[in-house]
Amino acid sequence: MYVQELEPVAGSLGLSALVATLPLVIVLVLLGGVRMKAHRAGLIGLVAAALVARLAYGMPLGQTLSSAAQGAAFGLFPILWIVVNALWVYRMTVRTRHFDILRRSFGRLSDDPRIQALVVAFCFGALLEALAGFGAPVAICSVMLVALGFDPVRAAVVALVANTAPVAFGAMGTPVVTLAQVTGLPLDTVASVVGRQTPLLALVVPLVLVGLVDGRRGLRETWVPALVCGVAFAAAQFAASNYVSAQLADIGAALAGAGALVAVPHARRPAAEPVRAAVLTGVRSEDLDEEDPRPEILRAYAPYALIVTIFSVVQIPVVKDWLAEATRTFDWPFLNVVDQGGKPVGGNVFIWPIVSTGGTLVLLAGLCTVVVLKMHARVAVEEWLATVRELRFAILTVTSVLALAYVMNLSGQAATIGHFVAAAGAGLAFLSPVLGWFGVAVSGSDTSANALFGALQVSAAHESGLSPELLAAANSSGGVLGKMISPQNLTIACAAVGLAGREGDLLRKVLPWSAGLLLVMCLIVAGQSSPVLDWMLP
């Protein structure tokens, strides 16, 4: 048995917290300062966390290695299992050229570039974030906007800023699933609180986007469709995360936002020529004028409709209970950890939802997609393997970061930092989103930031008397605003639109929006921790 300690270094909480932060500091410096590739920084950070656990905290080597193995296992299943299968579905639509049909379909909804930005970057980007995440929405949406005639810099900035509100529920809810796992809080509770924070961003982001596209004129002329889109997106995200499923939150929000936008008569009006001339300074893709057969358009939308249908069906109580019977729970080998009070920690047990996990459901939708798109089975398998190859470094990054997080959590490092941070008292509620924002800014992933800081937020909440669910959710909600300034996302955006080496230009354009929206989120969380807005919490 290993008993966690809070003050293993010279009996001092401050010195112990300083030592406990070393793995995090090393990762952040390597990523943000040295600009080392994320998978290498993650592995070095993991080694540092293991050394601190063994040398400073006295955690037995076997249990240290076992905790790292469990973190890596959780990174593979269910997290990467979801990402691989979701990206596989997208790759199949590209292979069969149905993605081009989908892009042309979006282009025909409106010739107003401000509305196109909302449809492509905000609504479709949210759908891509729901299915894949990990930079895919920024890369795909920025390319689509350039094809529609947007200037490359403007296209990249719009795609980056739009990739905020859906991030917490991206990749079939992977960030909140990870947050629940590393904190030991119920998934439904965590998702519910996040679903009462990020929808408030969705009310603002569409207005920001039309302003980025066309300045004050854009706000003055298209604020109605932008607001309608934001309200519909926010309402659907709130409803799904609180009453349906965290995995469906972004899918439902994206479809609701797009549907509401198309329903607004103002959104379908042709744009004035001065607007198009001022905004569309790029070269419009000629294939937008190509007519597509109606059956092929239906096939282009089919993969996403299949995912929504399958995830909806499994929420039926009878089906949900039947799938839950396949879930396996077992004691993780060579791991026996108790907290300071002698209570076994949740990490001793590993839960394996074999069938009901999001990745398996997306795989089922992918198999149906193979049939609908009339794709040969051999080609589908080739695309799946190509997806794994494409994500090989992301796989290494996620597994190493989660292994690091589990070592820190189970050895007691996170608890030590949490107790030390708790000295901020009531001010902790205001600062908690900043921690998530910082984590995503340097790691590029809300999932990784939740794995790194989720348990820390809960520990600090317990010490300060604040709601653990509120601070855990604030970590994820604040984190989404760090996505647009993440070096990884900036690099992806630049590479997608041919602006290699101009990451600094993009950073200067998006940083004020990132910081401004972060301040709004900090005020929201601080309000929710007080009688001012505590009525918003479940």
Side-chain angles (χ1 to χ4, degrees):
M1 180 184 296
Y2 169 68
V3 182
Q4 295 177 339
E5 291 186 57
L6 284 179
E7 304 173 353
V9 181
S12 168
L13 182 62
L15 288 176
S16 299
L18 184 63
V19 172
T21 58
L22 284 177
L24 291 178
V25 171
I26 288 172
V27 172
L28 299 181
V29 169
L30 291 177
L31 284 175
V34 181
R35 300 293 176 87
M36 181 180 288
K37 292 189 179 298
H39 63 279
R40 294 177 181 171
L43 289 172
I44 293 173
L46 172 58
V47 172
L51 288 174
V52 171
R54 181 72 189 95
L55 300 177
Y57 282 76
M59 189 178 197
L61 180 60
Q63 299 213 46
T64 302
L65 295 177
S66 182
S67 59
Q70 184 182 173
F74 180 71
L76 291 172
F77 192 97
I79 294 178
L80 288 165
W81 181 236
I82 297 172
V83 175
V84 167
N85 289 319
L87 194 55
W88 173 54
V89 172
Y90 160 70
R91 285 182 63 98
M92 286 193 292
T93 64
V94 173
R95 180 71 175 259
T96 59
R97 296 191 177 278
H98 284 90
F99 181 75
D100 291 334
I101 296 174
L102 194 66
R103 177 172 57 83
R104 288 193 288 269
S105 176
F106 288 158
R108 297 189 191 101
L109 288 176
S110 173
D111 72 343
D112 189 326
R114 300 163 298 190
I115 303 302
Q116 290 174 346
L118 294 177
V119 173
V120 174
F122 188 69
C123 297
F124 186 60
L127 187 60
L128 290 173
E129 182 67 37
L131 300 178
F134 289 88
V138 170
I140 295 167
C141 292
S142 57
V143 169
M144 289 179 69
L145 290 174
V146 170
L148 289 170
F150 279 67
D151 172 75
V153 172
R154 184 172 293 168
V157 170
V158 167
L160 285 165
V161 174
N163 190 220
T164 50
V167 168
F169 297 102
M172 294 301 175
T174 298
V176 291
V177 170
T178 303
L179 185 61
Q181 180 74 14
V182 300
T183 60
L185 299 172
L187 173 59
D188 291 344
T189 304
V190 173
S192 178
V193 179
V194 175
R196 295 165 192 245
Q197 294 172 343
T198 56
L200 298 176
L201 293 176
L203 298 175
V204 178
V205 171
L207 296 171
V208 172
L209 294 179
V210 296
L212 286 172
V213 172
D214 195 29
R216 293 182 179 178
R217 178 177 58 186
L219 277 172
R220 185 175 63 252
E221 296 180 0
T222 57
W223 70 268
V224 172
L227 187 60
V228 169
C229 177
V231 169
F233 186 102
Q237 191 181 63
F238 163 77
S241 60
N242 277 267
Y243 306 112
V244 184
S245 166
Q247 287 87 348
L248 283 177
D250 278 350
I251 294 177
L255 296 177
L261 187 60
V262 172
V264 178
H266 184 74
R268 303 301 299 271
R269 296 174 189 166
E273 192 55 40
V275 173
R276 293 182 54 80
V279 176
L280 300 183
T281 55
V283 179
R284 186 172 181 267
S285 177
E286 295 180 359
D287 72 348
L288 289 175
D289 298 323
E290 183 179 336
E291 290 295 330
D292 297 305
R294 191 174 187 82
E296 294 305 313
I297 295 177
L298 294 176
R299 285 196 181 94
Y301 282 92
Y304 310 105
L306 284 167
I307 290 175
V308 173
T309 301
I310 290 172
F311 271 83
S312 299
V313 168
V314 299
Q315 297 306 315
I316 299 173
V318 176
V319 179
K320 193 173 185 177
D321 293 341
W322 177 68
L323 291 176
E325 294 178 0
T327 298
R328 297 289 179 264
T329 302
F330 54 89
D331 293 332
W332 189 260
F334 310 111
L335 202 59
N336 185 13
V337 181
V338 297
D339 60 20
Q340 299 80 21
K343 181 181 177 181
V345 300
N348 293 326
V349 177
F350 188 77
I351 300 174
W352 189 18
I354 304 173
V355 182
S356 60
T357 189
T360 303
L361 299 178
V362 175
L363 176 64
L364 177 59
L367 295 175
C368 296
T369 298
V370 173
V371 177
V372 171
L373 299 185
K374 299 180 180 179
M375 201 172 195
H376 194 283
R378 177 183 56 79
V379 177
V381 172
E382 289 176 354
E383 287 299 321
W384 194 91
L385 295 174
T387 302
V388 174
R389 286 195 298 271
E390 180 183 335
L391 292 174
R392 61 189 183 277
F393 292 121
I395 290 172
L396 188 56
T397 299
V398 171
T399 52
S400 62
V401 168
L402 277 157
L404 178 154
Y406 269 61
V407 170
M408 290 191 65
N409 292 342
L410 290 169
S411 66
Q413 296 173 54
T416 297
I417 300 172
H419 281 72
F420 183 75
V421 173
L428 182 61
F430 182 84
L431 295 175
S432 58
V434 179
L435 194 58
W437 174 83
F438 185 64
V440 175
V442 296
S443 71
S445 166
D446 200 36
T447 298
S448 296
N450 286 342
L452 287 170
F453 299 132
L456 184 156
Q457 297 269 23
V458 170
S459 296
H462 284 305
E463 288 300 306
S464 61
L466 294 171
S467 166
E469 293 82 5
L470 174 62
L471 295 199
N475 192 84
S476 191
S477 298
V480 306
L481 299 169
K483 192 89 168 177
M484 69 178 83
I485 63 169
S486 162
Q488 291 91 319
N489 256 24
L490 291 171
T491 301
I492 289 171
C494 285
V497 298
L499 296 174
R502 295 185 60 183
E503 288 85 356
D505 294 340
L506 294 186
L507 178 61
R508 284 190 290 274
K509 290 181 179 295
V510 299
L511 182 57
W513 294 108
S514 178
L517 292 172
L518 175 63
L519 176 60
V520 173
M521 182 56 64
C522 290
L523 293 172
I524 290 171
V525 175
Q528 290 177 333
S529 70
S530 71
V532 177
L533 294 178
D534 63 356
W535 53 267
M536 293 180 62
L537 300 179

